[in-house]
Amino acid sequence: MTAKAKLPPAPKDPKYRQALGLGIGIWDYMEKNQRELGDTFTLTLPGQGPMVWTSNQDMIKDILKLQEEQVDASLVQLPMDLGEHNTVFLNEKEHQDSRKIVIPAFNTTRLRARAPAMHDIVTEHINSWKVGQKLNVPRMIGDITLDVICYTLFNLRHGERKDRYQYLMGNWMLEATSDTMFTFGAIFGAKNFRQWLNKKYLARADKNQGGNGKKGILPWKRAVDLKVQLADMIREDIRDIRRRMDESETHLLSVIARAKDDKGNLLSEERVISETIGLLIGGHETSAATASWFAIWLQQRPDVNDKIRREVLESIQNEGKFDPVKVSELPYLTACLNESQRLTPSAVGFIRWLRQDTQLGSHLIPAGSSVLPCIYLTHRDPAIFGPDVLEYRPERWMEGKKYLPSEFLPFGGGRRACVGLNQARQQLRIAFAEFARRVEFTSEYQHSNKMPRSRMIGGQTEPEKGVWLTVKQIRPESYGMPDTVGAAETATA
Ligand code: HEM
C-alpha cells in the first residue's frame, strides 16, 4: 500500500489570524507555532494554498535537493511587476539559462574589480554626513545600495543620467513594494495582480506613454508610470550596448544585453529589462534590512564594533592602504555579519511550490502545497548552534566548525539560491568596515539589549520603525593610514 500525502499539523487560528501573524510579528508567530506544533507546521492564508514551514534538518536537506521539474516558481507570491520572464518566476531550462547569464557577472574577478568603486561610494556618503545628523539605517544603506547598483548595472557613477536612473529606481521600488500594492496582491492573488500590472505596463510601453509619474486616483498609476519610464531608459542603453558589442564591458546590463540563448539569438529587450529590474529589486530591500539588524547588534555591542575597527586598522597597516578587497575578506568582520544574519535574517524563509506529492524527510507533502525552510527557526536551533544559540557571539564562526548549507542559509539554497550573495556580502562588509573605522554613532540601542519588533517590508523583515543612528563623530579619510597623524592613534586603538 502506498502512503497518502498529508499536511503537517496546523494552528487552530483562522486564516486571517494566520495572515496577521505573518504580517506583524512573524518571528514571534514562528516561535509560537514551533512551540505548539513542533518543527514542521502548516499555515494557510486567505486565498492561498497550504504553506508548510519547517526547521527540520532532514526535510530542509531534501528541499535543497529538489529538482527544477519538481517545483513551479511562477506561483511565487510577489505582487510586483518584475516582468514574467524574470529569474524568480522562471522554471526548468528557462530558469537555469537565466542563472547562467547572470551568475558570471558576479564571479570573484569581477567582484574584486568592483570593490574600489564600492569603497568610493561608501566614502562619498560618509563625507556628506554632519555631526549631529540622524540617519535611518535602512534608508541610508538603501541609498548606498542604489549608488552601487547604478554602478554595477549601468556603469554610472555620477551625472544626469545616473541621477535620473536613481530617481526612477528608488521611486518605482517605493511604489511597487508599498503596503497598498501588497494589499491588492493579497486581495486579487499576487500572480494575477502582477500579471495585470505587467499588461498595463506593456500597453503603455508600446504606445510610449510614460505618464507624469505623479500619484493619481488609481493607486497603481504611479508604479506603472515609473516602470514605463525606467524601462525606456534601460531600452535605450540596451540598444547602445548592442551597437557597440564591446566584449570588454563588465557591467551587468552589458553582460545580459550581449548574452545569447542556446540558439545563438540575443534575448528580447523585454527579457533583458525584466532581468535588470529583478537584480535591482533583489539587492535593495534585502541589503537594507540586513544592514539594519547588523547596525543594532553593533550598537548593543560596542566591544564588537571596536574589535572590527582594530581589525580594519591592522589591515591598513599591513597593506599600506585601505584595500577594499582585503577588508571585505577580514575574518572577524565576516564573522560579525554572519552572526547578525544568523540571529536576525532578513528573509524568514524561502519558498518552493510542489508540482507533485513529494517525500521530504519523514513527510509526504501533497502536490499544490508550498514548502518553506524557516531560516529564522533553523538559525536558532540549539542542536546546530549549541546552548548559547541566542547569544550574539561572532567568535563561534572562528572556532573551526563548518555549518552545512541546510544549517546556515540566509541567502536560501539549492538551485534557486541568491545569485547576488557575494556582491551583497562584499558591499556590506566594506560599508561596515568604514563605519567602524571612521564614524561614531549613538542610538537608543547603545549598550542595551533592546530589540525592536520586526515588520515585513517588501517581503523582508525589518525593524518596525527603522533604526535611527545619530552621528557623534566623523574621523578623516586618512585615519589609521600609514605616515599620517591618524597612524599614531592606530597604535593605541
Ligand atoms: C543581504 C542581501 C541579500 C539577501 C539577504 C538575499 C536573500 C535572498 C534569498 C533568501 C533568496 C531566495 C533564495 C532561494 O529561494 O533559495 C534570494 C534570491 C535571489 N536574489 Fe538575493 N539576497 C540579497 C542580495 C541580493 C543581491 C545584491 C542581488 C543582485 C544584485 C540578489 C539577487 C537575487 C536573485 C536574482 C534571486 C533569485 C534567484 C533564483 O530564483 O534563481 N540578491 N536572495
Side-chain angles (χ1 to χ4, degrees), residues 282-295:
H284 191 255
E285 213 53 46
T286 47
S287 302
T290 303
S292 302
W293 296 113
F294 192 25

Side-chain angles (χ1 to χ4, degrees), residues 257-298:
R258 285 182 288 110
K260 295 191 174 147
D261 63 19
D262 48 10
K263 295 192 186 76
N265 300 320
L266 291 168
L267 309 179
S268 73
E269 286 179 350
E270 275 313 316
R271 169 86 188 272
V272 178
I273 290 169
S274 186
E275 293 287 3
T276 309
I277 288 183
L279 291 177
L280 159 68
I281 207 132
H284 191 255
E285 213 53 46
T286 47
S287 302
T290 303
S292 302
W293 296 113
F294 192 25
I296 293 178
W297 288 114
L298 295 182

Side-chain angles (χ1 to χ4, degrees), residues 87 95 99 282-283 286 290 346 350 352 411-413 416 418-420 424:
T87 317
H95 176 246
R99 287 181 67 96
T286 47
T290 303
S346 66
F350 55 95
R352 303 287 182 265
F411 295 96
R416 308 194 80 94
C418 178
V419 296

Side-chain angles (χ1 to χ4, degrees), residues 64 73 86-90 95 98-99 102 106 145 149 152-153 252 275 278-291 341 345-347 349-352 375 409-421 423-425 427-428 460:
L64 295 185
N86 186 275
T87 317
V88 183
F89 306 128
L90 294 178
H95 176 246
S98 165
R99 287 181 67 96
V102 175
F106 293 109
T145 307
I149 285 170
T152 51
L153 278 179
L252 294 174
E275 293 287 3
L279 291 177
L280 159 68
I281 207 132
H284 191 255
E285 213 53 46
T286 47
S287 302
T290 303
Q341 288 195 284
S346 66
F350 55 95
I351 195 158
R352 303 287 182 265
I375 302 173
L409 55 182
F411 295 96
R415 289 181 161 69
R416 308 194 80 94
C418 178
V419 296
L421 83 167
Q423 163 143 336
R425 282 176 165 151
Q427 177 193 324
L428 288 170
Q460 296 299 303

Side-chain angles (χ1 to χ4, degrees), residues 161 165 232-246 249 251 253-254 257-258 269:
R161 193 164 181 81
Y165 256 131
D232 275 350
M233 283 189 79
I234 301 176
R235 207 172 287 112
E236 274 172 23
D237 277 345
I238 296 172
R239 291 177 188 173
D240 279 349
I241 289 166
R242 288 181 171 171
R243 269 191 289 275
R244 290 194 300 273
M245 275 297 186
D246 181 348
E249 289 178 356
H251 59 286
L253 182 60
S254 181
R258 285 182 288 110
E269 286 179 350

